[in-house]
Amino acid sequence: MAKHKPIYPLTLSLLTLSLLFSSTLQSPLNVWPKPRTFSWPLPQAILLSPNFTISSPPHQYLDAAVTRYLHGVLNEHHRPLVPPAANLTSSSPLQTLTLAVADLIAPLHHGVNESYTLSIPAAGAYASIAAATPWGAMRGLETFSQLVWGDPARVASGIFIEDFPIFEHRGVMLDTSRNFYAVDDILRTIRAMSENKLNVFHWHITDSHSFPLVVESEPDLSGKGSYGAGMEYSPENVKTVVEFGLEHGVRVLPEIDMPGHTGSWAGAYPEIVTCANMFWWPAGSEWGDRLASEPGTGHLNPLNPKTYQVIKNVINDVATMFPEPFYHAGADEIIPGCWKADPSIQTFLANNGTLSQLLEVFVNSTFPYLVSLNRTVVYWEDVLLDAEIKVNPSVLPPENTILQTWNNGPNNTKKIVSSGYRAIVSSSDYYYLDCGHGDFIGNDSTYDLPPGTDQGNGGSWCGPFKTWQTIYNYDITYGLTDEEAKLVLGGEVALWSEQADSTVLDPRIWPRASAMAETLWSGNRDETGMKRYAEATDRLNEWRHRMVARGIGAEPIQPLWCIRNPGMCNTVHPF
Amino acid sequence: MAKHKPIYPLTLSLLTLSLLFSSTLQSPLNVWPKPRTFSWPLPQAILLSPNFTISSPPHQYLDAAVTRYLHGVLNEHHRPLVPPAANLTSSSPLQTLTLAVADLIAPLHHGVNESYTLSIPAAGAYASIAAATPWGAMRGLETFSQLVWGDPARVASGIFIEDFPIFEHRGVMLDTSRNFYAVDDILRTIRAMSENKLNVFHWHITDSHSFPLVVESEPDLSGKGSYGAGMEYSPENVKTVVEFGLEHGVRVLPEIDMPGHTGSWAGAYPEIVTCANMFWWPAGSEWGDRLASEPGTGHLNPLNPKTYQVIKNVINDVATMFPEPFYHAGADEIIPGCWKADPSIQTFLANNGTLSQLLEVFVNSTFPYLVSLNRTVVYWEDVLLDAEIKVNPSVLPPENTILQTWNNGPNNTKKIVSSGYRAIVSSSDYYYLDCGHGDFIGNDSTYDLPPGTDQGNGGSWCGPFKTWQTIYNYDITYGLTDEEAKLVLGGEVALWSEQADSTVLDPRIWPRASAMAETLWSGNRDETGMKRYAEATDRLNEWRHRMVARGIGAEPIQPLWCIRNPGMCNTVHPF
């Protein structure tokens, strides 16, 4: 039931109106994210031969993708919500899709060429994908799979697609520390990412709440810091995830957050963790004197040599387990109270040391080691932009450092790139998938109020919920010069898991991550430069429907009625 | 990551603080909703005999419940997140639970006595439940099942519980028109309701978007108005749902919304539906001139005799399929523009008729018929409280009429009961489970704005999201006199399905409906009158964990760390 009057912006030109309205009448043939160029002059289709095959040059990971897609296109028999308007022609069925790959040895690294062309002739039994790399070929295979539907299976024909992404870094961040996810959950997420042409699974593995990663040289970290047997990731599990990522064209970028967010390390090594297992915000103290950003205290102690022994073991093992050249080292939310709670740090401060110097000690003792392992280090922006505790930029050369921004919308992106650093955008105002579901604090007294009291954002620091439209419409280079924009590598939606686990994993991520996927792949504007959100609604409905059929529990964005009645769920009001 | 400073109310007394803090140290033995009295002086437990049986008087529906619970307690082997502190004594295992039921023929109607006592002696092999009715016995069985855990199974002993609900109407409303739910989804929801001692499944079956109910005397309604084969509810399906409800002590209350929200009827009978299949808010028109409250137009025409032929067939069949004495007849959101679009109504209005008179015509032609079938008619409050179109109260005698409130928080509840009507509370400010996930309008231009523009409630008319705490803390008789409060039958959380279907059904409803369930069963305050939300957090964590183990995909409310570290995720700040 029951929509009260929506609030509309003040201006929406008549030009916009006509575009929005006509856009719903476009061909419903749907590829998500929308390819850069898509030529299909005569909407028609041909059958897929039951003996259809995919021919490709041998390649360890591309082989797996080919096998997967061959099985998929022959067996999916997708039933679109609205049947594509394509005429099934009497041309002979499609027999073969041939992959040509220019550079078979290109590794799946940041910036690898993901371009491809796909052509399916109107008549003739041979389709082809030409790709720069195996990873581009995988993108082309996904596109091909989305052009197939029906039973018997048919495929759009007379079609030519030339495609490549706007941004090279298109990711999903998942926090597996606050609550645990089974390996199968992670694999399903990576598969869905691949189907959305997302290419970086940023795995926020550890935090203060649990340390689920089994580090063989430091087994007590998970042994005493995980949520228990069955809630750990063994090296074999990690290998499974990394290999699965390679087979899907998805890099697996590990994050071992430190020196903050490390309470879980104290199970194994209480001596290297300051303020461990303390109440996060002692009664009577000011917010500025809290010990953690949220319940779950503990920072690594930069002054204890033992800290670095443990860290180096961790880094070595993680670098071995994750061949990915990017390494995320965290460095967010250093809380003064936690370090100040430690006697050795109190002495350091009493001798005129500062907390920022302390962080520099830590960074200078860890960053060069990561660089020596040929890693580009990703940090949360806090390491340079925090109001209280931050390092001098000279400590972090831009050629080895990338900053991931989450605060302050486009303003912090601007700060980062105007300082010469590359940026990954995960603005909490736009890209945080957990926001808007309230707070998890046990006795949050904001709720114990009489009716009529303003509920504000529902108790969520980053509320409201980021709708797919909010995500779709965010321009991650907003306000940047062309030169600055080149330093924006891309973006990541982020699912922090205080209030998420496998029960909500799929619907929290999908289809909202799909919205970002299209924006970062081919943009959110049509040929005229207008936001294509109305047309995108119908396509996202279809794509969500297909994801669900593929076993991804993406949440619905509209009544089924809306897609069955194109345009009828729109608003065309210039208010 | 990353909590910014929460916002706190200005006052929270020291008394409150001490209560909140100490409450986390209570025994973790958990029954949800918390029983009214719970005496367990010495925390101890005994084994459940492998030959454990439940003895009960024969009863068609209680038998099924006994079979179900017997299987459950023997096989669940629940593993609590925090093991209960009970000592396993060497007393002989529990052999039998005996049910005594005072009134075996009491039907499952509103106001039926649901009280029970449960005693499990410290020593001795016999436990007992004494209940006023079979339905109270089912509540006792659920409580018993929640006192059992572990492998081998053990049960709390030396315990005495006396229990009965504060409110007689404790419901969940589900909209199966905007998007379809399979029968299994409905059954699982009813089972979960029963496990939360909720007793009314309010089934909002039809609306403008689809008419999934197969009405045998009017088969075209679903034949032309449902989303298609496989997305209908046959009479056999309904019987399954109703019987399943009886076996679980859950009434199934049908709603056939009319005269608004009936666009889907136009497939079969376009002549009885005004403004059917029109664009909901024509370009250039004012909000007040829209044709529907949201996309999906159509109202039944009160001036067409054919309308009542169809309605009477529908009512007859629905009354046959649903023996429940309450019948929900909708009557929300009559939109002037829709009726005004019809020529016959234009004539009626030109002859000095009013839209409110038109609604009276409709109510006078349908309400008495429902009453003649011995139904108490539930309407949405709009029928009396709408600003524009409403009937004279004399048309709706309070003895046959119940009003369900959804607008304006406690104010409308007050209006309803102070007028002498009984009320069911589903305030959209507190009890609407769909809110806060944005709007579903296809091209909602509120999103096409530059960064930094206020996102407001994320595009959701009833945002923000209603957290479990918001729901738990709402007092549905707030501001009423004692006499007025007696007219509040209870409450319902509501899931409207514009953006929900089976992919999100469980986590949208659970555990938030559990929060209402406890508030309506035993209240939200402890013995001292203080809100018990801190203590409730730990218990709800445990209960959510148990629901998940029972196959209900309830969403998590905290990191697992929080319940493993009692009290550490609280805040005790007097801000």
Side-chain angles (χ1 to χ4, degrees), chain B residues 357-396:
Chain B
Q357 287 169 349
L358 202 58
L359 179 60
E360 282 195 9
V361 168
F362 183 84
V363 168
N364 279 326
S365 306
T366 50
F367 174 83
Y369 189 69
L370 284 163
V371 172
S372 77
L373 296 173
N374 293 315
R375 292 304 193 274
T376 298
V377 185
V378 188
Y379 287 113
W380 294 103
E381 63 183 1
D382 314 44
V383 72
L384 275 179
L385 300 185
D386 186 80
E388 296 186 72
I389 305 178
K390 56 191 168 193
V391 303
N392 190 298
S394 63
V395 171
L396 296 173

Side-chain angles (χ1 to χ4, degrees), chain A residues 199-489:
Chain A
N199 64 357
V200 182
F201 178 67
H202 170 179
W203 190 354
H204 183 88
I205 312 177
T206 65
D207 209 293
S208 273
H209 302 87
S210 75
F211 195 111
L213 183 68
V214 178
V215 175
E216 288 186 314
S217 61
E218 295 287 356
D220 282 355
L221 285 172
S222 60
K224 298 181 177 176
S226 82
Y227 279 142
M231 292 196 274
E232 295 176 329
Y233 304 110
S234 69
E236 294 70 33
N237 292 151
V238 171
K239 184 174 169 62
T240 298
V241 170
V242 169
E243 288 288 306
F244 192 89
L246 287 163
E247 292 173 355
H248 288 76
V250 176
R251 298 156 52 202
V252 180
L253 197 174
E255 177 185 357
I256 306 296
D257 200 353
M258 58 186 192
H261 293 282
T262 48
S264 60
W265 301 46
Y269 298 108
E271 68 273 25
I272 69 171
V273 182
T274 66
C275 96
N277 297 314
M278 292 176 69
F279 189 73
W280 72 293
W281 187 12
S285 66
E286 297 292 318
W287 175 246
D289 293 330
R290 73 201 182 281
L291 302 180
S293 54
E294 66 181 54
T297 56
H299 286 11
L300 295 178
N301 185 344
L303 298 178
N304 187 341
K306 175 75 180 173
T307 300
Y308 303 108
Q309 289 178 28
V310 177
I311 286 176
K312 285 190 179 171
N313 284 334
V314 170
I315 289 175
N316 275 329
D317 278 13
V318 170
T320 302
M321 286 189 273
F322 296 88
E324 162 63 34
F326 284 13
Y327 180 107
H328 203 307
D332 56 316
E333 298 189 308
I334 312 294
I335 307 299
C338 186
W339 270 348
K340 286 183 190 169
D342 182 82
S344 68
I345 292 175
Q346 287 163 7
T347 303
F348 176 84
L349 298 174
N351 291 324
N352 296 317
T354 69
L355 292 174
S356 285
Q357 286 169 348
L358 203 57
L359 179 59
E360 283 195 10
V361 169
F362 183 84
V363 168
N364 279 327
S365 306
T366 50
F367 175 83
Y369 189 70
L370 285 163
V371 172
S372 78
L373 296 173
N374 293 315
R375 291 305 192 273
T376 298
V377 185
V378 187
Y379 287 112
W380 294 104
E381 63 184 1
D382 314 45
V383 72
L384 274 179
L385 300 185
D386 186 79
E388 296 186 72
I389 306 178
K390 56 191 168 191
V391 303
N392 190 299
S394 64
V395 171
L396 296 174
E399 60 269 29
N400 305 115
T401 308
I402 296 168
L403 295 177
Q404 183 162 8
T405 177
W406 60 283
N407 287 300
N408 212 12
N411 302 317
N412 277 10
T413 308
K414 179 96 177 174
K415 281 187 189 174
I416 290 166
V417 296
S418 65
S419 304
Y421 289 94
R422 289 165 287 175
I424 296 167
V425 175
S426 338
S427 166
S428 56
D429 290 338
Y430 299 92
Y431 281 180
Y432 269 27
L433 302 176
D434 52 310
C435 299
H437 286 85
D439 205 350
F440 73 92
I441 301 299
N443 61 347
D444 185 346
S445 48
T446 52
Y447 290 111
D448 188 12
L449 296 170
T453 312
D454 182 26
Q455 297 177 48
N457 53 13
S460 181
W461 70 270
C462 56
F465 179 82
K466 311 310 169 195
T467 68
W468 79 263
Q469 299 100 323
T470 299
I471 292 169
Y472 191 77
N473 282 290
Y474 187 49
D475 295 310
I476 62 173
T477 58
Y478 180 83
L480 305 183
T481 67
D482 288 351
E483 280 306 302
E484 288 170 344
K486 290 178 185 165
L487 291 175
V488 176
L489 304 185

